[in-house]
Amino acid sequence: MIKLLEPAQAERWDNYVMAAADGSFFHLAAWQQVIKRAFGHPTYYYYFEQDGQITGVLPLTHVKSLLFGNSLVSNAFCVYGGILASDDQSFKALQSQAQQLARDLGVDCLEMRNRHQAHPEWPHKELYVTFRKELDTDVEKNLNAIPRKQRAMVRAGIKAGLVSVIDDNVDRLYAAYSESVRNLGTPVFPKNYFRILKEVFGKSCEVLSVEHEGA
């Protein structure tokens, strides 16, 4: 049975996401709150349930604006999304539900932001590249894993007095982010979006700033 996520089921949803092989931070239930509060877009967070157990989830956001067009995205404003499913029945049921919703809403496209293509034959874009690296508890081992020339630059930065700190707000992050994005000619997200992210995800959302002589 396919159901829409209710607040009371958020913990069950997140437990499923965290246990799923392709589950990501961007599949978590709290994104529904973030997107609604920051942008006001309608969301449809579907899950498939069998014998009282969740066997699949799909977070969807309906984005309709002059800037971003009219689309149904899993998951909007996120790197990843797409269907997480324990079996083929759950996957197909959620996929069918998403396709039907796309038709009902009259969107221009249904976009699944998967790490791995579920349907290579479907239209897709190759705009982005993801870099992933397991971190060791030993700082020196992590440093040695960086290629030699880049590692020399990291050491040069440390020698020059660059230090990293964890901020308790988004002010410095937003100042750096908005200037950088503006210089690239890309629309800037509102500062309130970052505040809401920090508020909703709490300790799971850290802001790390690099300083030189306090600046």
Side-chain angles (χ1 to χ4, degrees), residues 79-197:
V79 176
Y80 292 122
I83 298 170
L84 297 178
S86 302
D87 52 61
D88 198 46
Q89 178 188 359
S90 304
F91 184 95
K92 287 181 177 178
L94 288 167
Q95 178 176 280
S96 178
Q97 180 66 40
Q99 291 171 320
Q100 184 58 54
L101 180 63
R103 287 189 287 268
D104 293 343
L105 294 174
V107 299
D108 297 324
C109 70
L110 168 64
E111 180 180 348
M112 299 292 192
R113 296 181 173 175
N114 299 310
R115 277 186 60 206
H116 309 289
Q117 284 180 258
H119 296 284
E121 73 279 8
W122 286 12
H124 65 278
K125 297 178 181 179
E126 295 181 350
L127 296 178
Y128 307 103
V129 175
T130 293
F131 298 89
R132 296 168 65 90
K133 180 75 175 73
E134 290 286 341
L135 295 179
D136 197 279
T137 54
D138 187 327
V139 174
E140 199 62 29
K141 286 184 179 179
N142 291 324
L143 194 59
N144 289 332
I146 301 172
R148 184 175 58 83
K149 289 183 178 180
Q150 287 84 355
R151 186 166 66 248
M153 296 302 294
V154 173
R155 292 193 187 279
I158 295 171
K159 188 176 180 180
L162 299 184
V163 295
S164 61
V165 296
I166 300 298
D167 291 350
D168 60 4
N169 59 65
V170 301
D171 293 345
R172 298 200 298 178
L173 163 68
Y174 193 77
Y177 154 79
S178 58
E179 180 178 346
S180 174
V181 171
R182 184 197 64 213
N183 291 343
L184 291 170
T186 304
V188 179
F189 287 136
K191 189 174 185 178
N192 194 45
Y193 168 52
F194 295 88
R195 288 200 187 103
I196 292 171
L197 271 174

